[in-house]
Amino acid sequence: MSNDPKKSLGIGLAGFGTVGTGVWETLERNADLIFNRSDVKVDIVRIAVRDLNKVRIEGVSEDKFTTNWQDVVNDPKVNIVVELIGGTDTAFDIVAAALRAGKPVVTGNKALLAERGQELFELSNQFNTPIHFEAAVAGGIPIIKTVQDSFVGNSIQSMVGIINGTSNYILERMTDAGLGYEEALGEAQQLGYAEADPTLDVNGWDAAHKAILLATLAYGFTVDHKQVYVRGIERVRATDIDFAKRLGFVVKLLCVVREHANGVIEVRTQPSFIPQSHILSSVNGVFNAVAVRGDAAGDSLFYGRGAGKDPTASSVVADIVEAALGLRHEGSHRGFLPYQQEGSVMSVEDTETPYYVRFDVNDEPGVVAEIANLLADAGIGISGMHSPVHPDEPDAEFVDMVFQLHTCRFGLLKETLKKVEALSCVNSRPVVFRIEDLG
Ligand code: HSE
């Protein structure tokens, strides 16, 4: 890169969907502001799209577009490659090719980094070319730079967060507007919050990918996604939301990253009951929040819009500027690189919390006793029981029965629930929520 601040840097975009158009618009709107603050000028010179007929912005000249991503990476005018296509295959090829060409990468692709980060960070190291990924976690909240730079002097004890805007939006609409799950998901898709494949939002994996990245940043080793426990919101029903409310809790899809005394790291994502009195309970709609506990800083909370065109573009643009400054002042920012080969991830079986468990049972005598006996045999204490509860479906032949359970190892609970599920009076797999005290 030239040291002449008047000279523009070439940006190549792979992907021009919701976030890509947001990046274009933000760079257009705030070009002077960005230059005044950073001495950086950028120009989007090449854009790869899947279908030339679906290009969405007026005023972007046609000759910038190509359907071949290699035209973007190999264009000598492209200094920085921005990957916004999502997925883990072609996106991997784009990022790897850019790194090999010594072109810094900006990506919002959490699935790619959580699942194939190890290979990409190795390339980043080998070719001395950074990967910037602020947009990959919590949309517009600058949590990546915060953990990496501002918390550099802290040992991070925990990070607990609500980091999927789509799930949080759906839960809020189910709670406050009484919407059905499908209807609420449709709204989230229309608003541009959901992933291209919304399965990842609702099955917990989008949030889990982000939690993996936070854990990797905080503890310096690439966390293997196969070792992480993930459940989404697909099985949450209005009954659970109502119950949570009555008991003084709110249902949230919660990610927990925590270091234990033996250095083992707990990483999990699951619908959870959190106390109404905790600040995270008021994080609603598309908003995300991450509570970070550092040994020096103590508790900090980062809150903002976790999805959507402009908030995500804000993070991408910040990374583009950082990448540009890195090119100008060579070596000033190496991006994130893991600094430990291995770390130890706690088996979910060994994690412990209290639980709320909903059983779908036949409405017949003895059901409560049968379930309670199995729990008692396992030594799992019951702190509350509610039955029967009317299910949401008006003509259902089953009833919901709800147990609140004392703290126990999750492994023990799982084993015991398998036995409960095998009872002839129990109709489906019990639904488990953790009760998190977040103290
Ligand atoms: N689909 C994601 C969400 C977008 O809903 O949070 C931001 O990663």
Side-chain angles (χ1 to χ4, degrees):
M1 179 188 172
S2 160
N3 280 328
D4 177 359
K6 291 192 185 72
K7 193 154 181 269
S8 260
L9 262 186
I11 307 299
L13 288 189
F16 203 53
T18 306
V19 178
T21 52
V23 169
W24 173 277
E25 288 165 2
T26 305
L27 286 173
E28 286 282 295
R29 192 173 65 245
N30 293 337
D32 290 346
L33 199 56
I34 292 168
F35 178 68
N36 290 337
R37 287 173 172 163
S38 64
D39 267 0
V40 166
K41 276 187 186 171
V42 292
D43 186 17
I44 296 179
V45 291
R46 220 64 180 109
I47 306 173
V49 291
R50 206 170 294 146
D51 181 352
L52 291 173
N53 296 317
K54 285 197 184 155
V55 172
R56 287 170 210 174
I57 287 201
E58 303 252 331
V60 189
S61 77
E62 274 177 28
D63 56 5
K64 290 188 194 289
F65 289 99
T66 171
T67 52
N68 182 356
W69 62 261
Q70 299 191 354
D71 294 343
V72 171
V73 175
N74 297 333
D75 188 326
K77 292 196 292 304
V78 168
N79 305 103
I80 295 167
V81 173
V82 181
E83 182 279 309
L84 298 171
I85 66 163
T88 55
D89 296 325
T90 308
F92 180 91
D93 296 339
I94 295 171
V95 172
L99 295 172
R100 288 197 172 97
K103 299 186 180 186
V105 170
V106 173
T107 178
N109 191 333
K110 48 264 168 186
L112 176 67
L113 294 179
E115 294 189 11
R116 305 190 67 182
Q118 185 148 8
E119 299 161 80
L120 291 174
F121 288 127
E122 271 166 23
L123 285 174
S124 168
N125 194 24
Q126 189 184 341
F127 291 91
N128 197 23
T129 302
I131 307 174
H132 301 273
F133 54 98
E134 186 63 73
V137 180
I141 307 176
I143 189 69
I144 299 294
K145 288 187 199 9
T146 299
V147 174
Q148 198 187 347
D149 298 336
S150 307
F151 277 77
V152 68
N154 282 254
S155 161
I156 298 203
Q157 295 163 337
S158 65
M159 284 179 286
V160 177
I162 295 167
I163 47 180
N164 181 263
T166 302
S167 294
N168 206 43
Y169 180 85
I170 293 172
L171 290 175
E172 192 205 349
R173 297 291 284 157
M174 285 172 74
T175 308
D176 289 357
L179 254 55
Y181 171 86
E182 292 295 339
E183 207 181 337
L185 171 59
E187 282 189 1
Q189 285 177 289
Q190 272 196 333
L191 289 163
Y193 300 158
E195 297 299 293
D197 175 4
T199 315
L200 291 175
D201 291 299
V202 297
N203 72 9
W205 270 103
D206 177 80
H209 286 142
K210 295 168 184 167
I212 287 169
L213 290 182
L214 289 176
T216 297
L217 274 174
Y219 302 110
F221 66 96
T222 47
V223 172
D224 180 355
H225 65 281
K226 294 187 202 81
Q227 289 185 284
V228 171
Y229 182 78
V230 185
R231 290 289 179 274
I233 61 161
E234 305 111 309
R235 300 186 73 207
V236 177
R237 293 219 306 253
T239 309
D240 306 310
I241 291 171
D242 270 5
F243 246 96
K245 207 175 191 175
R246 277 197 261 163
L247 298 169
F249 296 97
V250 174
V251 179
K252 295 287 180 195
L253 182 70
L254 202 71
C255 293
V256 174
V257 176
R258 183 178 289 131
E259 186 178 36
H260 287 261
N262 52 4
V264 174
I265 310 302
E266 178 179 352
V267 187
R268 57 184 169 80
T269 296
Q270 193 171 4
S272 305
F273 280 21
I274 61 174
Q276 279 165 7
S277 55
H278 194 276
I279 195 161
L280 286 179
S281 74
S282 45
V283 175
N284 287 319
V286 73
F287 282 85
N288 282 192
V290 185
V292 182
R293 181 170 292 173
D295 65 342
D299 287 318
S300 308
L301 182 71
F302 301 90
Y303 171 82
R305 287 181 185 275
K309 183 167 93 170
D310 292 341
T312 313
S314 162
S315 290
V316 173
V317 168
D319 273 353
I320 289 174
V321 172
E322 185 167 51
L325 290 172
L327 284 174
R328 184 182 293 159
H329 309 288
E330 212 177 313
S332 66
H333 203 297
R334 61 186 187 134
F336 169 76
L337 288 175
Y339 50 84
Q340 297 194 67
Q341 280 303 309
E342 277 176 26
S344 175
V345 177
M346 183 179 240
S347 158
V348 72
E349 321 281 320
D350 293 330
T351 60
E352 294 191 341
T353 54
Y355 307 89
Y356 158 103
V357 187
R358 171 166 48 78
F359 302 95
D360 149 12
V361 297
N362 297 335
D363 194 8
E364 62 192 32
V367 174
V368 176
E370 281 192 77
I371 297 178
N373 281 340
L374 286 174
L375 291 166
D377 289 349
I380 301 175
I382 299 171
S383 57
M385 203 281 295
H386 310 270
S387 173
V389 181
H390 275 300
D392 307 329
E393 290 83 349
D395 301 322
E397 287 171 8
F398 57 87
V399 288
D400 286 327
M401 180 183 293
V402 173
F403 281 73
Q404 282 167 267
L405 305 176
H406 284 300
T407 299
C408 70
R409 273 186 70 249
F410 186 65
L412 177 65
L413 179 72
K414 253 174 69 180
E415 270 168 42
T416 311
L417 292 184
K418 271 200 191 117
K419 293 181 192 162
V420 174
E421 193 181 335
L423 294 173
S424 61
C425 57
V426 175
N427 297 319
S428 59
R429 187 154 51 90
V431 182
V432 178
F433 293 75
R434 291 187 185 252
I435 300 178
E436 305 275 359
D437 82 358
L438 302 178

